[in-house]
Amino acid sequence: MDAPLPSADLGSFDASGHIASIRRDGYTIIEGVLDASGVAAFRAGIEPYLGRWRGRNPFEGLSTERIYTLVARGKVFEDLAANPRILAVVGAFLRPGFLLSASHAIRIHPGEAAQSLHFDDSFYPFERPRPPLGMSVIGAVDAFTAQNGATVAVPGSHAWGSAEVAAVRDGARPKLVTFEMPAGAAAAFAGTLIHGAGANQSDAPRLGYTNQYCEPWARTQENWFLGIPRQRVAAMSPTLRALLGYSLMPPTFMGKVSGSHPAKALAPDWVPPVVRQES
């Protein structure tokens, strides 16, 4: 089945309260997405990639590290992107067959300034107010605090129209809440929610991650087909492969490869049909 809609591995998790919070406020906090061993595995998995890069502009963060294509850098990151509880919440707002749009780790260093307020699905050119076309998850590997750069957001702004959003861009400063949360927790929120990373006024870096999802018909922020080798994708779970776009948008054939299901391209002996016909 293409649509990543988990139902079997939720245990006692009740998604309905989190879904209601997002509908009302635009966001929710889900604790225990990573347990202590998961946090340790995340730290170990990300360590080889740290210390190499800084943001290219104030939005990325001039004192912030971002490790893109996180989903392809280890099993712990695969599991995070396809976490059943996260997908159960996100799936309440997006159509079946929704996709993973972006996946990266974020380490904010001391002295980093606050990020400008924004909303994550702003690159889709549809007027507000509207339902979200993307859903975002920001997870804490280090505990998020008001001092170390925890994400801040404007409750209810997911339902704002374009004029209210423009006022914030022009300098209006609405009331903010801070996503203070323990290591292992994650905030899930609508792509229309106004938010931004806070300033890191502490004496230590703050490590976290973001996984973002989008409607199955929308273009993803990261190009997984070029960014992740097919051999690596073939070893991933069926749910994650579908999230990466090796799937069809139900009930259509949107996403096909020369009339065939894109998952067929993961076979080790697969050759693109056009190349095969010309050879």
Side-chain angles (χ1 to χ4, degrees):
M1 183 167 115
D2 283 340
L5 297 176
S7 59
D9 300 321
L10 296 178
S12 61
F13 179 73
D14 181 10
S16 61
H18 294 290
I19 293 167
S21 292
I22 295 174
R23 294 196 193 283
R24 182 184 66 245
D25 301 322
Y27 69 93
T28 190
I29 305 294
I30 304 172
E31 295 199 4
V33 174
L34 283 174
D35 60 14
S37 62
V39 169
F42 189 109
R43 292 188 189 282
I46 205 64
E47 182 61 33
Y49 303 102
L50 295 175
R52 301 181 181 182
W53 187 88
R54 288 292 188 278
R56 296 160 287 190
N57 52 61
F59 186 81
E60 283 187 317
L62 299 176
S63 294
T64 295
E65 297 177 73
R66 292 177 183 265
I67 295 89
Y68 291 98
T69 320
L70 181 65
V71 67
R73 299 182 188 274
K75 184 65 165 59
V76 62
F77 311 125
E78 295 179 22
D79 292 344
L80 270 177
N83 181 278
R85 290 182 290 169
I86 293 295
L87 298 188
V89 172
V90 168
F93 298 90
L94 301 175
R95 299 182 188 187
F98 61 87
L99 302 172
L100 182 68
S101 180
S103 177
H104 54 275
I106 306 169
R107 185 163 74 159
I108 299 178
H109 287 267
E112 179 64 274
Q115 188 183 42
S116 60
L117 295 176
H118 64 283
F119 61 100
D120 282 345
D121 68 0
S122 60
F123 35 74
Y124 299 124
F126 295 89
E127 282 296 311
R128 299 176 56 125
R130 57 168 172 77
L133 303 176
M135 295 292 293
S136 295
V137 173
I138 292 179
V141 181
D142 294 319
F144 278 29
T145 70
Q147 289 72 42
N148 74 358
T151 301
V152 298
V154 183
S157 60
H158 63 301
W160 283 2
S162 299
E164 293 165 296
V165 174
V168 172
R169 289 176 177 157
D170 292 340
R173 285 296 169 260
K175 183 179 178 180
L176 299 171
V177 296
T178 302
F179 290 169
E180 293 192 276
M181 53 187 172
F189 54 95
T192 49
L193 183 75
I194 304 296
H195 71 284
N200 189 346
Q201 300 171 324
S202 74
D203 59 1
R206 186 273 277 167
L207 178 62
Y209 65 90
T210 185
N211 286 318
Q212 299 178 19
Y213 305 84
C214 67
E215 291 284 18
W217 49 262
R219 183 166 183 167
T220 58
Q221 296 176 59
E222 296 196 60
N223 188 323
W224 310 121
F225 304 113
L226 294 177
I228 307 176
R230 286 189 297 118
Q231 301 94 315
R232 184 66 180 264
V233 177
M236 293 176 174
S237 71
T239 294
L240 186 52
R241 293 199 299 260
L243 285 167
L244 294 174
Y246 290 83
S247 55
L248 296 174
M249 174 183 162
T252 72
F253 295 104
M254 196 171 180
K256 61 183 178 292
V257 178
S258 293
S260 296
H261 195 290
K264 292 182 179 180
L266 298 175
D269 58 351
W270 183 80
V271 178
V274 172
V275 175
R276 185 165 59 241
Q277 291 166 10
E278 290 179 350
S279 61

